[in-house]
Amino acid sequence: MQLWALLPVCLAFFGTAGIWTVFAIAVTNGSVNLTEGIPYISQCGTYNPQSCLFSQVCNICCFLALWVVAIRFQQVRDYGDHGKANIASIVLGFISSISISITGNFQQSVLMIIHTVGAVLAFFLGLAYFWVQLYLTYRAHPSQDRWWVGPVRATFCIICTATVIVMSILHITGVSSGAAACEWILVMSFFCLFGLFAAEFRHIDCHSLTVQKQMFTNDRSHASMQMNGYVINTIS
């Protein structure tokens, strides 16, 4: 069912369009001045009315990213990989995705500390997540797309790593315009990495939500109780 490939693609296109729309509004109403240098993404989305749109974009991206992370985890698991790398991927993916929402809802002009913590977690843990995914690209069940997905994913991971390092150095040294440019490159690269999951998701044939009933018997009273558990299955 190749429709599942649209999920990461929608995330990439919606996130890219949303962020650049926020930038366009900020430039149009004078919230940022390009003559003073390139603004941070958060700086573009910290003032009204674009702050409302920025929050919504981050919230929707958070939701879509959580969905992508969960499906990718189950897909790798269905391939027979129950290792620690796959578990680490869903932990890193969930934390970094939720951090996107934190970054968008706590603007830097209101709560700078929480905003900064959210951004740091989103960037660094998100980068770690994609490096784990690169490892799983070659660890999981053979795929006909691995020959090109692996190198492309590795290239973007290297770009993101270099960008994070340069951005951190420029930010510490006070070169805010350069650091902001690195932030834009980093976020766009993240969206490309998310969109790349379409190559794996197009092989998903089924994605179902089932209810399993388990019986537990009490030896003393010989009473039994039923508990319902929800399991997501992907068949690739």
Side-chain angles (χ1 to χ4, degrees):
M1 186 182 296
Q2 296 188 2
L3 287 177
W4 285 108
L6 294 177
L7 178 60
V9 172
C10 288
L11 169 58
F13 274 99
F14 175 81
T16 301
I19 292 300
W20 283 106
T21 300
V22 170
F23 172 79
I25 296 174
V27 172
T28 301
N29 61 24
S31 298
V32 296
N33 188 356
L34 295 181
T35 60
E36 298 177 355
I38 301 174
Y40 287 101
I41 297 176
S42 300
Q43 185 178 353
C44 295
T46 194
Y47 301 108
N48 291 326
Q50 63 268 18
S51 62
C52 302
L53 176 61
F54 181 63
S55 297
Q56 289 301 312
V57 169
C58 290
N59 288 333
I60 295 175
C61 285
C62 169
F63 172 75
L64 294 177
L66 287 171
W67 201 358
V68 170
V69 168
I71 294 177
R72 178 56 179 164
F73 168 80
Q74 186 63 45
Q75 185 184 37
V76 174
R77 188 178 181 183
D78 288 344
Y79 282 147
D81 191 339
H82 303 275
K84 295 181 180 179
N86 197 29
I87 296 176
S89 72
I90 194 170
V91 173
L92 292 170
F94 272 22
I95 297 176
S96 59
S97 298
I98 294 173
S99 298
I100 297 174
S101 180
I102 294 175
T103 303
N105 288 282
F106 296 91
Q107 284 86 15
Q108 64 177 16
S109 61
V110 181
L111 290 171
M112 184 64 177
I113 296 178
I114 298 179
H115 175 85
T116 302
V117 171
V120 169
L121 290 176
F123 288 151
F124 286 91
L125 295 188
L127 178 60
Y129 170 76
F130 285 115
W131 275 110
V132 174
Q133 286 302 317
L134 176 61
Y135 169 76
L136 292 174
T137 302
Y138 295 97
R139 172 71 182 272
H141 190 273
S143 171
Q144 60 183 3
D145 300 314
R146 178 183 295 175
W147 66 273
W148 69 269
V149 172
V152 172
R153 184 166 284 156
T155 300
F156 275 108
C157 285
I158 293 173
I159 292 174
C160 289
T161 302
T163 304
V164 166
I165 295 174
V166 175
M167 180 181 67
S168 301
I169 295 174
L170 292 177
H171 180 75
I172 294 174
T173 55
V175 186
S176 59
S177 182
C182 291
E183 183 187 46
W184 283 94
I185 296 173
L186 178 62
V187 172
M188 294 302 106
S189 298
F190 275 166
F191 283 137
C192 289
L193 284 168
F194 270 115
L196 196 58
F197 281 123
E200 283 102 355
F201 283 18
R202 73 187 184 91
H203 297 295
I204 297 177
D205 296 326
C206 177
H207 191 81
S208 61
L209 180 66
T210 60
V211 178
Q212 291 182 340
K213 294 182 179 181
Q214 298 178 346
M215 301 294 296
F216 295 91
T217 303
N218 190 320
D219 293 336
R220 295 182 179 179
S221 61
H222 299 286
S224 63
M225 59 183 300
Q226 293 182 344
M227 297 184 65
N228 293 333
Y230 294 91
V231 180
I232 297 178
N233 297 319
T234 62
I235 302 173
S236 303

